[in-house]
Amino acid sequence: MAPRTMMLALWGVLAASTVVAGVAGWSPGTATFYGGSDGSGTMGGACGYGNLYSAGYGVNNAALSQTLFNDGASCGQCYTITCDGSRSGSQYCKPGNTVTVTATNLCPPNYGLPNGGWCGPGRPHFDMSQPSWEKIGVVQGGIIPVLYQQVKCSRSGGVRFNIAGSSYFLLVNIQNLGGSGSVGAAWVKGTNTGWIQMSRNWGANWQALSGLTGQALSFAVTTTGGQYIQFLNVAPTWWQFGQTYSTNQQFYY
């Protein structure tokens, strides 16, 4: 069978919601929803993005179970999710539908339940915003079997840098990444410094133990997909803590 014909055949199987685990890179998991019918309860979260509209992510988001969240390294990644019609609970699926969400939060284990519940260790689970979950599931079901795969993110506008911290501690939340969606490494440079290696503090927040107030700031980022971009003179010398500075540059892989 020719590759194109084979791909079309696989998508035909997906449309029937009978894909089995491991086909064409899909993995089995489960999904629930939280945050209300308007998704407002999903704002904030363990990635530190705050208002998800301002950060570029909107309502199609999900909290990942511990095994997928990877201590915050997965923040910003995109996942396409579809119902798995071959498993128990699929009567609450909407066959053939898919939705793509961004990882913006952690679904922590519930140690009051056996094995930590659906978000317990080793369980691939998506606690999705209700609007995104309803694209693939029926509300009465509560939890559904799904298939998922990580996909390339497409973003509107450029990468954004939200700056917090203090005079001797810089904490930068890196937002709205396309391509792989997540940060693999980051650097900051002041007007009077060379490039300073940053380290992940928590979620999508990266830190530098340097006093850079009063200097224009540039950033460099390598995504987990391997693309490296320098963002020069992002913040002017009069930048302030609590402000977000946008760029016109974007990642594509």
Side-chain angles (χ1 to χ4, degrees):
M1 182 182 291
R4 178 175 175 81
T5 304
M6 182 179 294
M7 185 60 68
L8 290 173
L10 288 174
W11 277 107
V13 174
L14 268 176
S17 192
T18 57
V19 182
V20 296
V23 172
W26 294 83
S27 300
T30 48
T32 50
F33 64 87
Y34 80 114
S37 59
D38 61 355
S40 60
T42 65
M43 298 294 114
C47 289
Y49 293 132
N51 185 310
L52 297 179
Y53 287 98
S54 299
Y57 301 116
V59 74
N60 283 336
N61 60 76
L64 305 188
S65 61
Q66 191 176 59
T67 188
L68 293 175
F69 190 69
N70 193 22
D71 291 328
S74 298
C75 285
Q77 292 181 357
C78 295
Y79 297 85
T80 293
I81 305 173
T82 187
C83 284
D84 183 355
S86 68
R87 292 157 59 200
S88 174
S90 61
Q91 67 268 30
Y92 298 111
C93 290
K94 295 180 178 178
N97 288 9
T98 63
V99 62
T100 299
V101 297
T102 297
T104 59
N105 201 357
L106 168 68
C107 180
N110 184 342
Y111 289 110
L113 298 175
N115 300 316
W118 292 108
C119 289
R123 294 175 180 262
H125 184 80
F126 297 85
D127 199 14
M128 303 165 62
S129 70
Q130 185 172 337
S132 59
W133 190 90
E134 287 183 346
K135 294 178 181 177
I136 59 172
V138 179
V139 173
Q140 291 83 348
I143 184 166
I144 57 173
V146 299
L147 293 163
Y148 70 93
Q149 61 178 319
Q150 187 181 347
V151 296
K152 186 170 71 172
C153 301
S154 178
R155 304 294 184 203
S156 176
V159 175
R160 304 168 189 174
F161 298 85
N162 177 269
I163 302 176
S166 66
S167 298
Y168 298 99
F169 171 70
L170 200 67
L171 189 67
V172 181
N173 189 268
I174 306 176
Q175 309 171 346
N176 200 48
L177 277 71
S180 69
S182 50
V183 177
W187 298 260
V188 63
K189 181 182 182 300
T191 308
N192 303 320
T193 74
W195 288 105
I196 301 168
Q197 176 84 53
M198 305 181 78
S199 60
R200 187 188 307 278
N201 185 291
W202 61 275
N205 289 297
W206 290 73
Q207 67 180 7
L209 301 177
S210 303
L212 296 172
T213 54
Q215 299 183 51
L217 300 182
S218 299
F219 298 95
V221 175
T222 299
T223 64
T224 52
Q227 186 177 3
Y228 172 82
I229 296 179
Q230 291 185 356
F231 302 85
L232 301 178
N233 300 314
V234 173
T237 55
W238 56 89
W239 62 266
Q240 297 181 346
F241 293 112
Q243 296 297 310
T244 298
Y245 298 89
S246 300
T247 73
N248 59 4
Q249 296 169 273
Q250 190 52 272
F251 294 97
Y252 298 99
Y253 64 86

